[in-house]
Amino acid sequence: MNFVVGIPTINRADLLNQALIKYDQCWPTLEIYILDNGNQEIKTQNKNQKIFKTDLNIGVAASWNFLAERAFAEGYLRILMLNDDIELLKSEKEINQKLNKYPDHCLVVQEGTWSSFMLPKVVYDLIGPFDEIFYPAYFENDDYAYRIKTHKHTDIQTDKVLNPTLYRESMSFKMDRILNKDFTKNKNRFVSKWGGEPKKEKFKSPYGLPIIPPPILTNTDSVKNCRITSSCVAPMA
């Protein structure tokens, strides 16, 4: 299985730096793309851990879009998206063995939450980008899951191989409560878009309108007015 790791981060470099030390041992040759939304001091451990920086917080959905589009443009067929406050200490071989049974049109997510999920290029191409209207966070994953479920050529499954070895719940929000201020607004956006809360959706297409093909966005289009730079070779610890 051909995949890269993607990690968006905003304010938990302390936890991410601990994880990067362990990933250097667990995944010494696996490329890890880190999107820093908070101008943090992130300490990479090898040349395969690469940092991209934004000049503002672009939110979870846009971060996932940037990392996915970067990975797929580099020729990867899947991206393993991880939160910055978890640790997934499973070997590349174990992940491959467990997930190879899933077809290319299937997104695989950990049990319970979306702290860890494997996104195939095929799914991203068919479903389109994550909806950046859900800013800065919450309900972008529910929206994507429902879009997958209502698409006749895609599927979503859970697998415990993606369950974090170390799980800390919503540590970024505990650090900065303002990140949680739009929870209700995003919930209302979801209800407006799908006619009900997650698992109670009524619409089969956004806002109950006729289905139209999703637009294909470039990196520039998906994150308007935001400059993302690469510092690929960041200072090593």
Side-chain angles (χ1 to χ4, degrees):
M1 180 183 291
N2 170 263
F3 74 92
V4 64
V5 176
I7 307 177
T9 179
I10 184 169
N11 61 16
R12 296 316 309 246
D14 55 334
L15 304 180
L16 177 58
N17 286 335
Q18 295 175 27
L20 291 178
I21 293 173
K22 296 177 183 178
Y23 293 156
D24 179 46
Q25 301 298 316
C26 186
W27 303 326
T29 61
L30 197 59
E31 283 207 296
I32 299 177
Y33 295 165
I34 302 160
L35 181 60
D36 180 14
N37 283 289
N39 192 28
Q40 305 170 89
E41 293 186 13
I42 300 172
K43 300 177 181 179
T44 58
Q45 302 298 310
N46 62 52
K47 65 180 181 180
N48 295 317
Q49 298 178 355
K50 302 178 180 180
I51 302 173
F52 304 90
K53 289 185 174 290
T54 67
D55 56 5
L56 51 83
N57 176 22
I58 63 176
V60 173
S63 295
W64 285 348
N65 287 337
F66 172 82
L67 290 168
E69 290 164 13
R70 178 78 188 193
F72 300 148
E74 292 293 330
Y76 289 99
L77 299 180
R78 292 174 177 82
I79 180 167
L80 174 59
M81 214 75 75
L82 303 178
N83 280 10
D84 63 353
D85 55 3
I86 70 164
E87 294 177 6
L88 181 66
L89 304 180
K90 313 283 179 69
S91 70
E92 184 178 355
K93 180 179 180 181
E94 181 181 1
I95 293 172
N96 279 330
Q97 287 178 338
K98 296 292 186 180
L99 298 190
N100 269 334
K101 63 183 178 183
Y102 298 102
D104 291 340
H105 63 266
C106 181
L107 183 148
V108 185
V109 64
Q110 72 165 94
E111 296 174 323
T113 72
W114 279 55
S115 297
S116 169
F117 65 94
M118 184 73 79
L119 173 65
K121 182 178 185 297
V122 171
V123 172
Y124 193 81
D125 287 344
L126 289 171
I127 300 300
F130 291 88
D131 193 343
E132 297 172 15
I133 193 175
F134 299 104
Y135 177 90
Y138 287 120
F139 296 96
E140 66 286 311
N141 57 321
D142 298 291
D143 174 80
Y144 211 72
Y146 187 66
R147 287 159 62 190
I148 290 174
K149 291 175 183 177
T150 55
H151 194 289
K152 62 182 179 180
H153 296 304
T154 56
D155 188 21
I156 182 169
Q157 297 290 335
T158 61
D159 198 298
K160 64 182 180 181
V161 73
L162 296 182
N163 290 358
T165 310
L166 176 60
Y167 177 70
R168 309 178 183 94
E169 185 176 3
S170 301
M171 296 302 290
S172 294
F173 296 109
K174 291 179 181 179
M175 178 73 77
D176 185 359
R177 294 292 182 181
I178 198 171
L179 296 174
N180 196 34
K181 69 181 181 67
D182 288 324
F183 178 89
T184 300
K185 185 181 294 184
N186 282 343
K187 179 180 178 180
N188 291 337
R189 286 170 175 156
F190 185 93
V191 171
S192 175
K193 183 175 181 179
W194 297 114
E197 297 179 11
K199 303 189 187 312
K200 297 181 181 179
E201 301 91 342
K202 296 178 182 178
F203 301 153
K204 296 299 182 183
S205 61
Y207 308 102
L209 299 173
I211 298 176
I212 57 175
I216 299 176
L217 304 181
T218 65
N219 289 347
T220 302
D221 293 331
S222 64
V223 187
K224 292 182 174 61
N225 302 319
C226 177
R227 178 174 55 85
I228 299 180
T229 58
S230 168
S231 62
C232 293
V233 185
M236 293 188 181

